[in-house]
Amino acid sequence: MLTLQSESHMLSKSCQYALRAVVYIAEESSTTQLVGAQQMAESLQIPKHFLSKILQQLSRNKLISSTKGPNGGFYLSRENEQVTIDRIIEVIDGPGLFTACVLGLPSCSSAHPCPLHEQAVGYRDGLYHKLKNLTIRELTLVTRLEKKESSTPK
Amino acid sequence: MLTLQSESHMLSKSCQYALRAVVYIAEESSTTQLVGAQQMAESLQIPKHFLSKILQQLSRNKLISSTKGPNGGFYLSRENEQVTIDRIIEVIDGPGLFTACVLGLPSCSSAHPCPLHEQAVGYRDGLYHKLKNLTIRELTLVTRLEKKESSTPK
DNA sequence: CAAATAAAAGATATTAAGGTCTTCTATACT
DNA sequence: AGTATAGAAGACCTTAATATCTTTTATTTG
Ligand code: FES
Ligand code: FES
């Protein structure tokens, strides 16, 4: 039998894990208390070794920071906190998600638009613009705000 | 070595092919002149047998029509022309693209939003509503209009 | 310096997406 | 009816994404 039901998502699983991990680091770590891959994997329900590789990728690209040895782990430096979300997507899923044609045509421009160009581009560019101006730090602030709002006292 | 650069696109390749094929059928076929999978594969630069499977999937789901035998091929019935784009995406890539959380969390709702929910949902839903109200016929009309506009006489 | 710890690195395995090939079946035309 | 045509169906293969496991390296602490 043939499946052909790809259950495609906008971001790869690696990228989803990366974003969730970065948010976790931002929330749970500080300069004094680092957060380990082990703990992170358990809390976020992500395969440990797979997560490790993703974290290494982010670390190599200076989007997060890490130290080895006992009490080692991952954390965000001042610079890391200013990293924007689009950078994380770019490093893990590659560029192209926000520039490639949705129909996979070799180029995407309003000069040579595919039938879906007009419909898609607004969505794509809008989100891209937001993510390009959204830092890791800001993202966690938003989250905390939302949590506060949702815990409405009766 | 490890790649970890997934080049993720919003739609699967199968789905991109499906959409391009449907547009092609809408433009090139009529009730008198059907369009064959062979010809379509060559024109659109899509692997023939792979395209066939996709067309069969669409045909089984009544999104396009076909007849076998000599001078057979694919075409759009009156009903097919009223099929909306979101249906094609749904049949090939499954539901979920427009309902699932971008970070892959088990549910997506404003009651339990992920950190990116607010950013993502507006655009996602916006595109979804457009595609839900965009028929195959309308899509080709838009394309023809764009072509006319771009061929500006000097 | 020795032991313990935790990330880095990379080899290997599994699964799903993407792609190819062969056989079968319906239709048209002579 | 017989043959050619073109889609339908399904087996099979390849590649890339995802996941696991093992070894190495850096760092802390006693
Ligand atoms: S050309 Fe297809 S989305 Fe721009
Ligand atoms: S909860 Fe993540 S996008 Fe809605």
Side-chain angles (χ1 to χ4, degrees), chain A residues 78-93:
Chain A
R78 287 255 165 249
E79 292 83 43
N80 293 155
E81 291 191 333
Q82 297 307 312
V83 166
T84 53
I85 303 304
D86 73 295
R87 285 286 297 136
I88 295 167
I89 296 174
E90 192 178 70
V91 161
I92 301 298
D93 274 355

Side-chain angles (χ1 to χ4, degrees), chain B residues 100-103 105 107-109 112-117 120-121 124:
Chain B
C101 168
V102 286
L103 295 189
L105 297 181
S107 84
C108 172
S109 69
H112 295 286
C114 75
L116 280 179
H117 181 83
V121 145
R124 207 187 58 189

Side-chain angles (χ1 to χ4, degrees), chain B residues 2 5 7 12 20 28 30-31 33-34 36 41 46 51 69 71 73 82-83 86-87 93 103 107 114 126 132 142 146:
Chain B
L2 143 83
Q5 191 86 341
E7 199 59 41
S12 71
R20 284 166 55 195
E28 301 297 323
S30 65
T31 36
Q33 187 61 37
L34 308 193
I46 299 174
L51 177 59
N71 304 320
Q82 297 308 312
V83 166
D86 73 294
R87 285 286 298 135
D93 274 355
L103 295 189
S107 84
C114 75
K132 207 171 177 55
V142 168
E146 279 167 358

Side-chain angles (χ1 to χ4, degrees), chain A residues 62-73:
Chain A
K62 316 266 187 222
L63 304 187
I64 63 177
S65 306
S66 70
T67 56
K68 291 184 177 182
N71 303 319

